């Protein structure tokens, strides 16, 4: 900011009532011009240009730069906190700030004027970036008042970020526009982005619009956050369309793990889960519908419905991946509640498994659906998901019949499937042990089929019944029983 030989800080307000770095009251004429400045003491970094920048032969204005934590020198001579520049009023007037200082309003009256060169003092913040030296950024911007060589002077985002605050202070509009245009077009480091954010309040709305579009999230037309829409689209791309699905799934899973907002992750996973669940229900429902059974002698209709069953298996695979991500991130509350209310899906799955057609079209379908059930039920039993009592009861009640159907399939079953279904037996029995005794009694009776193997091979079932009978044989609680 410019001052007289020892005056206070003064700046000119921006013409359009916007907040520039230099938007302070108009300068006091007694504090901005001084006619008897000490001889100039230029530093090597401000070498003169014949007939131009810092040329003492033709200059008509002396500009003194000094750090704001120092005082003007009491005697001539080199001082590390000061820099004198011999400049020209025709160039300085390209800055609206200097144009105001050099206007007739602030110049001395003709009767009082002397032949001495007017002297302006400009305070340089001592906290400014010193990568160019204490006055380097100011010198670079002042040179541009002569050359307008913005493309040759602004070569990096760091250059633009050093020069933009000075251009804002001096109301040098062409330099401001050049810096903003450069910043809008090049990548930034994280530190540079923070610097851009800090400077945006000092820019006019039109100047900052393109920068803001790059760093500020918008809201999508349906009101969802742009970041959530992006996460959701990445999930869909990973599970549906990308040719290298396994690699992309691993990448998206890492993005979800590292994402800072757990609420956003919960929201996008809930949305994707419900969409995939609806797809499985619709496709399986089409295959298991009575209309298909009636029309299955029609080759075209049968082919369409076989395709529906295959698509149901593909979507069940997507659903399993989503369930695993939700459990891993402990955001599967909605998934457990929804899974406990799938009476229609359970019925369609049971109808599908009653014949052998599915074995040739979608042999992995029962396993995929039951793995979803197993993952969710195990999270509930382990306490990773604190499901309400009604949800726990309905989860077992709805899916226990499917487990029994899968276990009782006559044809040979892969050993991995046998292990899955035995694991599910243990998980369901664990959940049953958390329910009130009347609910547990009803569900345990449905678990008798677990004993169809060798009796010695079902200790989990024996333990569950022993636990229930132990509790049932306790005397009623009357408030006084110790």
């Amino acid at each position: 900011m410019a001052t007289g030989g020892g005056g206070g800080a003064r700046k000119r307000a921006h013409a359009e009532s916007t907040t520039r770095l230099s938007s302070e009251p108009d300068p006091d004429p007694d504090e901005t011009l001084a006619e008897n400045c000490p001889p100039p003491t230029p530093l090597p970094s401000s070498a003169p240009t014949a007939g131009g920048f810092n040329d003492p032969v033709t200059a008509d204005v002396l500009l003194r730069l000094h750090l704001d934590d120092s005082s003007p020198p009491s005697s001539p001579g080199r001082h590390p906190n000061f820099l004198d520049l011999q400049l020209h009023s025709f160039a300085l007037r390209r800055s609206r700030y200097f144009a105001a200082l050099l206007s007739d309003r602030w110049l001395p009256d003709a009767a009082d004027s002397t032949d001495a060169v007017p002297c302006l003092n400009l305070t340089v913040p001592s906290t400014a970036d010193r990568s160019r030296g204490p006055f380097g950024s100011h010198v670079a911007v002042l040179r541009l008042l002569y050359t307008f060589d913005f493309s040759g002077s602004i070569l990096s985002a760091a250059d633009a970020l050093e020069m933009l605050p000075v251009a804002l202070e001096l109301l040098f509009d062409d330099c401001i526009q050049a810096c903003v245009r450069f910043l809008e077009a090049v990548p930034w480091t994280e530190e540079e982005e923070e610097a851009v954010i800090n400077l945006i309040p000092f820019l006019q709305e039109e100047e900052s619009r393109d920068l803001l579009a790059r760093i500020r999230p918008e809201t999508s037309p349906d009101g969802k956050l742009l970041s959530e829409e992006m996460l959701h689209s990445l999930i869909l791309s990973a599970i549906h369309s990308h040719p290298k699905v396994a690699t992309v799934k691993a990448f998206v899973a890492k993005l979800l793990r590292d994402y800072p907002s757990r609420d956003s992750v919960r929201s996008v996973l809930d949305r994707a889960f419900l969409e995939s669940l609806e797809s499985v229900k619709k496709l399986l429902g089409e295959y298991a519908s009575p209309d298909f059974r009636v029309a299955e002698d029609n080759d075209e209709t049968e082919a369409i419905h076989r395709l529906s069953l295959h698509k149901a298996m593909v979507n069940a695979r997507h659903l399993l991946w989503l369930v695993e991500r939700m459990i891993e991130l402990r955001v599967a509350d909605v998934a457990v509640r929804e899974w406990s209310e799938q009476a229609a899906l359970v019925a369609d799955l049971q109808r599908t498994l009653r014949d052998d057609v599915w074995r040739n079209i979608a042999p992995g379908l029962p396993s995929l659906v039951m793995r979803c059930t197993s993952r969710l039920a195990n999270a509930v039993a382990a306490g990773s998901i604190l499901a309400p009592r009604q949800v726990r009861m309905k989860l077992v009640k709805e899916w226990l019949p499917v487990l029994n159907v899968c276990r009782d399939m006559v044809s040979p079953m892969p050993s991995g499937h046998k292990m899955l279904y035995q694991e599910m037996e243990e998980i369901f029995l664990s959940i049953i042990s958390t329910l009130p005794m009347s609910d547990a009694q009803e569900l345990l009776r449905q678990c008798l089929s677990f004993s169809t193997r060798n009796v010695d091979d079902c200790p989990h079932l024996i333990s569950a019944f022993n636990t229930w009978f132990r509790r049932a044989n306790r005397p009623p609680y009357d408030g006084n029983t110790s």
Side-chain angles (χ1 to χ4, degrees):
M1 53 185 74
T3 65
R10 292 291 185 273
K11 295 182 182 177
R12 180 178 180 274
H14 190 285
E16 289 86 4
S17 300
T18 56
T19 308
R20 292 292 199 194
L21 288 177
S22 57
S23 56
E24 293 186 12
D26 288 342
D28 186 327
D30 295 332
E31 295 183 341
T32 54
L33 296 173
E35 297 181 3
N36 297 312
C37 292
T41 56
L43 298 179
S45 62
S46 59
T49 301
F53 178 80
N54 204 29
D55 179 15
V57 177
T58 59
D60 59 359
V61 177
L62 173 64
L63 177 64
R64 166 158 294 163
L65 305 179
H66 64 89
L67 299 181
D68 63 1
D69 59 353
S70 61
S71 302
S74 58
S75 60
R78 186 180 301 276
H79 192 290
N81 288 337
F82 294 85
L83 176 63
D84 293 337
L85 299 173
Q86 298 281 357
L87 304 177
H88 302 77
S89 57
F90 76 89
L92 291 176
R93 284 191 172 95
R94 291 166 180 162
S95 151
R96 289 188 292 114
Y97 172 66
F98 285 124
L101 289 182
L102 297 173
S103 66
D104 294 339
R105 178 183 177 186
W106 305 126
L107 291 176
D109 294 338
D112 300 330
S113 62
T114 68
D115 293 333
V117 174
C119 177
L120 304 178
N121 287 331
L122 185 65
T123 302
V124 176
S126 60
T127 57
D129 188 343
R130 302 297 180 86
S131 61
R132 294 172 176 261
F135 306 109
S137 299
H138 282 71
V139 170
V141 173
L142 291 168
R143 282 186 185 276
L144 289 172
L145 290 169
Y146 289 82
T147 67
F148 282 86
D149 182 22
F150 300 113
S151 61
S153 301
I154 306 174
L155 303 177
S156 67
D159 290 339
L161 289 169
E162 288 180 10
M163 297 167 69
L164 181 54
V166 180
L168 288 166
E169 178 186 11
L170 302 182
L171 300 177
F172 185 7
D173 294 324
D174 290 322
C175 187
I176 293 170
Q177 294 169 10
C179 290
V180 170
R181 189 163 56 247
F182 188 93
L183 288 171
E184 189 278 329
V186 300
W188 310 324
T189 65
E190 187 173 347
E191 293 76 13
E192 289 167 348
E193 182 169 318
E194 287 301 315
V196 170
I197 292 173
N198 292 334
L199 284 171
I200 280 178
F202 301 105
L203 296 171
Q204 296 181 43
E205 180 180 356
E206 182 178 350
E207 294 166 342
S208 65
R209 183 180 299 120
D210 290 340
L211 298 178
L212 280 172
R214 181 165 161 180
I215 59 177
R216 290 290 189 228
E218 299 175 356
T219 302
S220 62
D222 57 0
K224 294 184 174 63
L225 291 177
L226 187 63
S227 57
E228 292 187 5
E229 286 299 293
M230 180 64 166
L231 279 178
H232 183 255
S233 67
L234 290 174
I235 291 172
L236 295 186
S237 178
I239 65 177
H240 287 296
S241 60
H242 203 281
K244 296 182 179 179
V245 173
T247 304
V248 176
K249 280 183 175 178
F251 176 77
V252 174
K254 177 171 174 54
L255 283 181
L256 293 171
R257 284 194 301 271
D258 297 343
Y259 197 75
S261 172
R262 187 61 67 218
D263 288 340
S264 292
V265 170
R266 182 192 304 274
S267 175
V268 295
L269 284 174
D270 284 347
R271 180 179 168 192
F273 171 82
L274 293 173
E275 290 170 350
S276 292
L277 178 59
E278 285 303 311
S279 295
V280 172
K281 289 167 61 178
K282 178 183 177 183
L283 293 165
L284 196 59
E286 289 175 354
Y287 177 82
S289 68
D291 294 338
F292 166 66
R293 301 299 176 185
V294 172
E296 63 181 352
D297 57 337
N298 183 312
D299 291 342
E300 182 178 356
T301 302
E302 183 177 357
I304 292 174
H305 284 80
R306 283 172 178 262
L307 181 60
S308 294
L309 186 59
H310 177 75
K311 287 182 177 179
M313 183 182 70
V314 172
N315 278 275
R317 187 175 295 115
H318 301 157
L319 195 63
L320 176 59
W321 183 83
L322 290 168
V323 166
E324 289 174 339
R325 300 290 73 72
M326 298 171 89
I327 292 173
E328 175 190 8
L329 299 174
R330 304 177 76 94
V331 293
D333 308 74
V334 170
V336 168
R337 188 184 68 242
E338 289 293 326
W339 205 250
S340 72
E341 298 174 351
Q342 296 306 316
L345 175 60
V346 166
D348 289 336
L349 185 59
Q350 287 179 289
R351 279 195 291 269
T352 299
L353 297 178
R354 287 194 186 111
D355 59 43
D356 291 335
V357 178
W358 65 269
R359 299 182 188 276
N360 298 322
I361 304 172
L365 178 62
S367 173
L368 288 168
V369 174
M370 295 311 288
R371 284 185 188 280
C372 290
T373 309
S374 174
R375 298 290 192 277
L376 292 170
N378 186 57
V380 170
S384 300
I385 302 170
L386 300 181
R389 185 186 72 192
Q390 289 299 320
V391 171
R392 301 197 305 273
M393 183 186 71
K394 290 170 63 177
L395 181 64
V396 176
K397 187 174 183 179
E398 292 291 354
W399 289 96
L400 186 55
V402 182
L403 175 59
N404 288 331
V405 170
C406 290
R407 290 180 66 262
D408 294 340
M409 287 188 292
V410 177
S411 60
M413 186 187 307
S415 59
H417 290 192
K418 291 180 181 178
M419 293 178 61
L420 167 65
Y421 300 143
Q422 183 172 348
E423 179 182 289
M424 288 189 63
E425 292 176 7
E426 297 176 3
I427 294 171
F428 278 178
L429 290 171
S430 294
I431 295 176
I432 290 172
S433 72
T434 71
L435 300 176
M437 294 207 54
S438 56
D439 296 332
Q441 179 181 0
E442 176 188 350
L443 293 174
L444 279 175
R445 284 199 294 261
Q446 299 177 44
C447 294
L448 282 176
S449 58
F450 296 175
S451 65
T452 54
R453 297 190 304 271
N454 187 317
V455 175
D456 295 333
D457 195 27
C458 52
H460 54 299
L461 183 62
I462 295 173
S463 175
F465 273 98
N466 286 340
T467 297
W468 187 89
F469 279 113
R470 184 180 69 249
R471 294 172 179 175
N473 289 326
R474 284 200 176 101
Y477 181 71
D478 60 5
N480 296 319
T481 305
S482 59

